[in-house]
Short mmCIF file of all heavy atoms in Angstrom, two decimals:
data_model
loop_
_atom_site.label_atom_id
_atom_site.label_comp_id
_atom_site.label_asym_id
_atom_site.label_seq_id
_atom_site.Cartn_x
_atom_site.Cartn_y
_atom_site.Cartn_z
N GLY A 172 -17.68 -158.67 96.48
CA GLY A 172 -17.86 -157.77 95.35
C GLY A 172 -17.24 -158.35 94.09
O GLY A 172 -16.14 -158.91 94.14
N ILE A 173 -17.96 -158.22 92.98
CA ILE A 173 -17.38 -158.63 91.70
C ILE A 173 -17.50 -157.49 90.70
O ILE A 173 -18.41 -156.65 90.78
CB ILE A 173 -18.03 -159.92 91.13
CG1 ILE A 173 -19.50 -159.68 90.76
CG2 ILE A 173 -17.88 -161.07 92.10
CD1 ILE A 173 -20.12 -160.86 90.01
N ASP A 174 -16.58 -157.45 89.76
CA ASP A 174 -16.57 -156.45 88.70
C ASP A 174 -15.57 -156.93 87.65
O ASP A 174 -14.59 -157.59 87.98
CB ASP A 174 -16.13 -155.09 89.26
CG ASP A 174 -16.60 -153.91 88.41
OD1 ASP A 174 -16.10 -153.78 87.27
OD2 ASP A 174 -17.46 -153.15 88.87
N ASN A 175 -15.84 -156.58 86.37
CA ASN A 175 -14.87 -156.98 85.34
C ASN A 175 -13.84 -155.89 85.08
O ASN A 175 -12.90 -156.09 84.30
CB ASN A 175 -15.58 -157.38 84.04
CG ASN A 175 -16.31 -156.22 83.37
OD1 ASN A 175 -16.29 -155.08 83.86
ND2 ASN A 175 -16.97 -156.50 82.26
N LEU A 176 -14.00 -154.72 85.70
CA LEU A 176 -13.04 -153.62 85.59
C LEU A 176 -12.75 -153.28 84.13
O LEU A 176 -11.60 -153.02 83.75
CB LEU A 176 -11.74 -153.96 86.33
CG LEU A 176 -11.87 -154.23 87.83
CD1 LEU A 176 -10.55 -154.69 88.42
CD2 LEU A 176 -12.38 -152.99 88.56
N ASN A 177 -13.78 -153.25 83.29
CA ASN A 177 -13.56 -152.96 81.88
C ASN A 177 -13.20 -151.49 81.66
O ASN A 177 -13.20 -150.68 82.58
CB ASN A 177 -14.78 -153.37 81.03
CG ASN A 177 -16.02 -152.52 81.31
OD1 ASN A 177 -15.93 -151.38 81.77
ND2 ASN A 177 -17.18 -153.08 81.04
N ASP A 178 -12.89 -151.15 80.41
CA ASP A 178 -12.41 -149.81 80.10
C ASP A 178 -13.48 -148.94 79.45
O ASP A 178 -13.17 -148.01 78.70
CB ASP A 178 -11.17 -149.86 79.22
CG ASP A 178 -11.42 -150.55 77.88
OD1 ASP A 178 -12.56 -151.02 77.64
OD2 ASP A 178 -10.48 -150.63 77.07
N TYR A 179 -14.77 -149.21 79.73
CA TYR A 179 -15.83 -148.33 79.24
C TYR A 179 -15.56 -146.90 79.69
O TYR A 179 -15.80 -145.94 78.97
CB TYR A 179 -17.19 -148.82 79.74
CG TYR A 179 -18.33 -147.87 79.49
CD1 TYR A 179 -18.72 -147.54 78.20
CD2 TYR A 179 -19.01 -147.28 80.55
CE1 TYR A 179 -19.77 -146.66 77.97
CE2 TYR A 179 -20.06 -146.39 80.34
CZ TYR A 179 -20.43 -146.09 79.04
OH TYR A 179 -21.46 -145.20 78.81
N TYR A 180 -15.07 -146.74 80.92
CA TYR A 180 -14.48 -145.47 81.35
C TYR A 180 -13.24 -145.80 82.18
O TYR A 180 -12.95 -146.97 82.45
CB TYR A 180 -15.48 -144.59 82.09
CG TYR A 180 -16.04 -145.15 83.39
CD1 TYR A 180 -15.34 -145.07 84.58
CD2 TYR A 180 -17.31 -145.74 83.42
CE1 TYR A 180 -15.86 -145.56 85.77
CE2 TYR A 180 -17.84 -146.23 84.60
CZ TYR A 180 -17.10 -146.13 85.77
OH TYR A 180 -17.62 -146.62 86.94
N ASP A 181 -12.50 -144.80 82.58
CA ASP A 181 -11.21 -144.91 83.23
C ASP A 181 -11.15 -146.00 84.31
O ASP A 181 -11.73 -145.85 85.39
CB ASP A 181 -10.85 -143.56 83.85
CG ASP A 181 -9.46 -143.54 84.46
OD1 ASP A 181 -8.70 -144.49 84.24
OD2 ASP A 181 -9.14 -142.55 85.16
N PRO A 182 -10.44 -147.11 84.05
CA PRO A 182 -10.33 -148.17 85.06
C PRO A 182 -9.64 -147.69 86.35
O PRO A 182 -9.85 -148.29 87.41
CB PRO A 182 -9.48 -149.25 84.36
CG PRO A 182 -9.66 -148.98 82.90
CD PRO A 182 -9.79 -147.50 82.78
N ALA A 183 -8.85 -146.64 86.25
CA ALA A 183 -8.17 -146.12 87.46
C ALA A 183 -9.19 -145.62 88.48
O ALA A 183 -8.98 -145.74 89.69
CB ALA A 183 -7.19 -145.02 87.08
N LEU A 184 -10.30 -145.04 88.00
CA LEU A 184 -11.34 -144.58 88.92
C LEU A 184 -11.99 -145.78 89.60
O LEU A 184 -12.29 -145.75 90.80
CB LEU A 184 -12.38 -143.76 88.16
CG LEU A 184 -13.56 -143.22 88.97
CD1 LEU A 184 -13.09 -142.35 90.13
CD2 LEU A 184 -14.52 -142.44 88.07
N LYS A 185 -12.20 -146.86 88.86
CA LYS A 185 -12.78 -148.07 89.44
C LYS A 185 -11.83 -148.65 90.50
O LYS A 185 -12.26 -149.08 91.57
CB LYS A 185 -13.06 -149.10 88.34
CG LYS A 185 -14.05 -148.61 87.30
CD LYS A 185 -14.27 -149.64 86.19
CE LYS A 185 -15.21 -149.10 85.14
NZ LYS A 185 -15.49 -150.05 84.05
N GLN A 186 -10.53 -148.66 90.18
CA GLN A 186 -9.55 -149.17 91.14
C GLN A 186 -9.50 -148.30 92.39
O GLN A 186 -9.34 -148.81 93.51
CB GLN A 186 -8.17 -149.23 90.49
CG GLN A 186 -8.02 -150.27 89.40
CD GLN A 186 -7.91 -151.69 89.96
OE1 GLN A 186 -7.94 -151.92 91.17
NE2 GLN A 186 -7.81 -152.67 89.08
N ALA A 187 -9.66 -146.99 92.21
CA ALA A 187 -9.66 -146.08 93.37
C ALA A 187 -10.85 -146.34 94.27
O ALA A 187 -10.74 -146.29 95.50
CB ALA A 187 -9.65 -144.63 92.89
N ARG A 188 -12.01 -146.61 93.66
CA ARG A 188 -13.18 -146.97 94.48
C ARG A 188 -12.91 -148.25 95.24
O ARG A 188 -13.19 -148.35 96.45
CB ARG A 188 -14.41 -147.13 93.58
CG ARG A 188 -14.90 -145.87 92.88
CD ARG A 188 -16.20 -146.18 92.14
NE ARG A 188 -16.66 -145.14 91.25
CZ ARG A 188 -16.85 -145.28 89.94
NH1 ARG A 188 -16.63 -146.46 89.37
NH2 ARG A 188 -17.29 -144.28 89.22
N LEU A 189 -12.37 -149.25 94.54
CA LEU A 189 -12.09 -150.54 95.18
C LEU A 189 -11.13 -150.37 96.35
O LEU A 189 -11.28 -151.05 97.39
CB LEU A 189 -11.48 -151.51 94.17
CG LEU A 189 -12.41 -152.36 93.33
CD1 LEU A 189 -11.60 -153.29 92.44
CD2 LEU A 189 -13.37 -153.16 94.22
N SER A 190 -10.15 -149.50 96.21
CA SER A 190 -9.17 -149.32 97.29
C SER A 190 -9.85 -148.81 98.56
O SER A 190 -9.36 -149.06 99.67
CB SER A 190 -8.07 -148.36 96.84
OG SER A 190 -8.56 -147.04 96.74
N GLN A 191 -10.97 -148.10 98.40
CA GLN A 191 -11.72 -147.63 99.57
C GLN A 191 -12.42 -148.79 100.28
O GLN A 191 -12.67 -148.73 101.48
CB GLN A 191 -12.78 -146.62 99.12
CG GLN A 191 -12.25 -145.39 98.42
CD GLN A 191 -11.61 -144.42 99.37
OE1 GLN A 191 -12.19 -144.05 100.38
NE2 GLN A 191 -10.40 -143.99 99.06
N LEU A 192 -12.74 -149.83 99.53
CA LEU A 192 -13.46 -150.97 100.10
C LEU A 192 -12.52 -152.03 100.65
O LEU A 192 -12.85 -152.72 101.62
CB LEU A 192 -14.35 -151.61 99.02
CG LEU A 192 -15.43 -150.73 98.39
CD1 LEU A 192 -16.12 -151.49 97.25
CD2 LEU A 192 -16.45 -150.29 99.43
N GLU A 193 -11.36 -152.16 100.04
CA GLU A 193 -10.47 -153.27 100.39
C GLU A 193 -9.83 -153.12 101.76
O GLU A 193 -9.20 -154.05 102.25
CB GLU A 193 -9.43 -153.45 99.29
CG GLU A 193 -10.07 -154.05 98.02
CD GLU A 193 -9.13 -154.10 96.83
OE1 GLU A 193 -8.18 -153.29 96.79
OE2 GLU A 193 -9.36 -154.95 95.94
N GLY A 194 -10.02 -151.96 102.39
CA GLY A 194 -9.55 -151.81 103.76
C GLY A 194 -10.44 -152.49 104.78
O GLY A 194 -10.07 -152.63 105.94
N HIS A 195 -11.63 -152.91 104.35
CA HIS A 195 -12.56 -153.61 105.25
C HIS A 195 -12.23 -155.10 105.28
O HIS A 195 -12.09 -155.73 104.24
CB HIS A 195 -14.00 -153.43 104.77
CG HIS A 195 -14.54 -152.04 104.96
ND1 HIS A 195 -15.25 -151.66 106.07
CD2 HIS A 195 -14.46 -150.95 104.17
CE1 HIS A 195 -15.60 -150.40 105.95
NE2 HIS A 195 -15.13 -149.94 104.81
N ASP A 196 -12.15 -155.67 106.50
CA ASP A 196 -11.83 -157.10 106.59
C ASP A 196 -13.02 -157.98 106.21
O ASP A 196 -12.87 -159.19 106.06
CB ASP A 196 -11.30 -157.46 107.98
CG ASP A 196 -12.28 -157.11 109.09
OD1 ASP A 196 -13.43 -156.71 108.79
OD2 ASP A 196 -11.90 -157.25 110.27
N ARG A 197 -14.20 -157.38 106.05
CA ARG A 197 -15.37 -158.16 105.64
C ARG A 197 -15.67 -158.03 104.15
O ARG A 197 -16.72 -158.42 103.70
CB ARG A 197 -16.61 -157.73 106.45
CG ARG A 197 -16.52 -158.03 107.93
CD ARG A 197 -17.81 -157.68 108.66
NE ARG A 197 -18.27 -156.33 108.34
CZ ARG A 197 -17.78 -155.22 108.90
NH1 ARG A 197 -16.81 -155.31 109.80
NH2 ARG A 197 -18.25 -154.04 108.56
N PHE A 198 -14.72 -157.49 103.40
CA PHE A 198 -14.89 -157.31 101.96
C PHE A 198 -13.95 -158.23 101.20
O PHE A 198 -12.75 -158.30 101.49
CB PHE A 198 -14.64 -155.87 101.55
CG PHE A 198 -14.79 -155.63 100.06
CD1 PHE A 198 -16.04 -155.58 99.47
CD2 PHE A 198 -13.67 -155.47 99.25
CE1 PHE A 198 -16.19 -155.36 98.11
CE2 PHE A 198 -13.80 -155.24 97.89
CZ PHE A 198 -15.06 -155.19 97.31
N ALA A 199 -14.50 -158.95 100.23
CA ALA A 199 -13.68 -159.79 99.36
C ALA A 199 -14.01 -159.43 97.91
O ALA A 199 -15.19 -159.32 97.55
CB ALA A 199 -13.96 -161.27 99.60
N PHE A 200 -12.99 -159.23 97.09
CA PHE A 200 -13.22 -158.85 95.70
C PHE A 200 -12.77 -159.96 94.76
O PHE A 200 -11.72 -160.58 94.96
CB PHE A 200 -12.46 -157.57 95.34
CG PHE A 200 -12.61 -157.19 93.89
CD1 PHE A 200 -13.83 -156.72 93.41
CD2 PHE A 200 -11.55 -157.34 93.00
CE1 PHE A 200 -13.99 -156.39 92.06
CE2 PHE A 200 -11.71 -157.01 91.66
CZ PHE A 200 -12.93 -156.53 91.19
N VAL A 201 -13.60 -160.22 93.76
CA VAL A 201 -13.28 -161.19 92.71
C VAL A 201 -13.45 -160.49 91.36
O VAL A 201 -14.54 -159.97 91.07
CB VAL A 201 -14.20 -162.43 92.77
CG1 VAL A 201 -13.84 -163.41 91.65
CG2 VAL A 201 -14.10 -163.11 94.13
N LYS A 202 -12.38 -160.45 90.57
CA LYS A 202 -12.50 -159.89 89.23
C LYS A 202 -13.22 -160.91 88.35
O LYS A 202 -12.72 -162.02 88.14
CB LYS A 202 -11.14 -159.55 88.65
CG LYS A 202 -11.24 -158.84 87.30
CD LYS A 202 -9.86 -158.46 86.75
CE LYS A 202 -10.01 -157.77 85.40
NZ LYS A 202 -8.70 -157.42 84.81
N LEU A 203 -14.39 -160.52 87.87
CA LEU A 203 -15.25 -161.49 87.19
C LEU A 203 -16.25 -160.75 86.31
O LEU A 203 -16.83 -159.74 86.71
CB LEU A 203 -15.98 -162.32 88.25
CG LEU A 203 -17.05 -163.32 87.79
CD1 LEU A 203 -16.44 -164.37 86.90
CD2 LEU A 203 -17.71 -163.96 89.01
N ASP A 204 -16.46 -161.29 85.12
CA ASP A 204 -17.47 -160.76 84.19
C ASP A 204 -18.73 -161.59 84.36
O ASP A 204 -18.69 -162.82 84.29
CB ASP A 204 -16.96 -160.85 82.75
CG ASP A 204 -17.80 -160.03 81.79
OD1 ASP A 204 -19.05 -160.16 81.83
OD2 ASP A 204 -17.22 -159.28 80.99
N VAL A 205 -19.87 -160.92 84.59
CA VAL A 205 -21.11 -161.66 84.84
C VAL A 205 -21.56 -162.47 83.62
O VAL A 205 -22.39 -163.37 83.75
CB VAL A 205 -22.25 -160.73 85.29
CG1 VAL A 205 -21.96 -160.16 86.68
CG2 VAL A 205 -22.51 -159.61 84.28
N SER A 206 -21.01 -162.18 82.45
CA SER A 206 -21.37 -162.97 81.27
C SER A 206 -20.64 -164.31 81.20
O SER A 206 -20.94 -165.14 80.35
CB SER A 206 -21.10 -162.16 79.98
OG SER A 206 -19.71 -161.94 79.81
N ASP A 207 -19.69 -164.52 82.12
CA ASP A 207 -18.94 -165.78 82.18
C ASP A 207 -19.76 -166.80 82.99
O ASP A 207 -19.68 -166.85 84.23
CB ASP A 207 -17.57 -165.54 82.82
CG ASP A 207 -16.66 -166.76 82.73
OD1 ASP A 207 -17.17 -167.90 82.76
OD2 ASP A 207 -15.43 -166.57 82.66
N ARG A 208 -20.50 -167.62 82.29
CA ARG A 208 -21.46 -168.53 82.92
C ARG A 208 -20.82 -169.46 83.94
O ARG A 208 -21.31 -169.60 85.07
CB ARG A 208 -22.15 -169.34 81.82
CG ARG A 208 -23.12 -170.40 82.31
CD ARG A 208 -23.73 -171.09 81.11
NE ARG A 208 -24.53 -172.24 81.48
CZ ARG A 208 -25.16 -173.01 80.59
NH1 ARG A 208 -25.08 -172.75 79.30
NH2 ARG A 208 -25.87 -174.05 81.00
N ASP A 209 -19.74 -170.10 83.59
CA ASP A 209 -19.13 -171.09 84.47
C ASP A 209 -18.55 -170.45 85.72
O ASP A 209 -18.71 -170.98 86.84
CB ASP A 209 -18.04 -171.86 83.73
CG ASP A 209 -18.60 -172.78 82.65
OD1 ASP A 209 -19.80 -173.12 82.73
OD2 ASP A 209 -17.85 -173.13 81.72
N ARG A 210 -17.89 -169.32 85.56
CA ARG A 210 -17.27 -168.67 86.73
C ARG A 210 -18.31 -168.08 87.66
O ARG A 210 -18.13 -168.09 88.89
CB ARG A 210 -16.28 -167.60 86.27
CG ARG A 210 -15.01 -168.16 85.63
CD ARG A 210 -13.92 -167.11 85.58
NE ARG A 210 -13.50 -166.70 86.91
CZ ARG A 210 -12.95 -165.51 87.19
NH1 ARG A 210 -12.81 -164.60 86.24
NH2 ARG A 210 -12.59 -165.23 88.42
N VAL A 211 -19.41 -167.58 87.10
CA VAL A 211 -20.49 -167.07 87.96
C VAL A 211 -21.09 -168.22 88.77
O VAL A 211 -21.32 -168.10 89.98
CB VAL A 211 -21.57 -166.35 87.13
CG1 VAL A 211 -22.81 -166.07 87.98
CG2 VAL A 211 -21.03 -165.05 86.56
N ALA A 212 -21.31 -169.35 88.12
CA ALA A 212 -21.87 -170.51 88.81
C ALA A 212 -20.94 -170.97 89.93
O ALA A 212 -21.39 -171.29 91.04
CB ALA A 212 -22.11 -171.64 87.83
N THR A 213 -19.64 -170.99 89.66
CA THR A 213 -18.66 -171.39 90.67
C THR A 213 -18.65 -170.42 91.83
O THR A 213 -18.59 -170.82 93.01
CB THR A 213 -17.26 -171.46 90.04
OG1 THR A 213 -17.26 -172.45 89.00
CG2 THR A 213 -16.21 -171.83 91.08
N LEU A 214 -18.72 -169.14 91.54
CA LEU A 214 -18.73 -168.12 92.60
C LEU A 214 -19.90 -168.34 93.55
O LEU A 214 -19.74 -168.32 94.77
CB LEU A 214 -18.82 -166.73 91.97
CG LEU A 214 -18.87 -165.59 92.99
CD1 LEU A 214 -17.47 -165.06 93.28
CD2 LEU A 214 -19.76 -164.45 92.53
#
């Protein structure tokens, strides 16, 4: 999963959603903005 966790709305709600996913051992999160060309390519 990737997300830039921006503040368009409350980032705490985004973090709360993520906390529900991070309990899964098959889930990996990368904080990343899809507009970042080089980092998206690397991912």
Side-chain angles (χ1 to χ4, degrees):
I173 66 172
D174 202 293
N175 65 1
L176 300 174
N177 67 24
D178 61 359
Y179 170 63
Y180 62 81
D181 185 10
L184 179 57
K185 299 178 182 181
Q186 291 285 0
R188 294 185 190 121
L189 272 182
S190 71
Q191 301 285 310
L192 300 174
E193 288 173 335
H195 289 266
D196 58 7
R197 295 184 310 280
F198 179 75
F200 177 71
V201 179
K202 186 178 179 182
L203 174 61
D204 194 311
V205 292
S206 66
D207 188 328
R208 177 179 172 180
D209 291 339
R210 289 197 64 205
V211 169
T213 299
L214 179 93

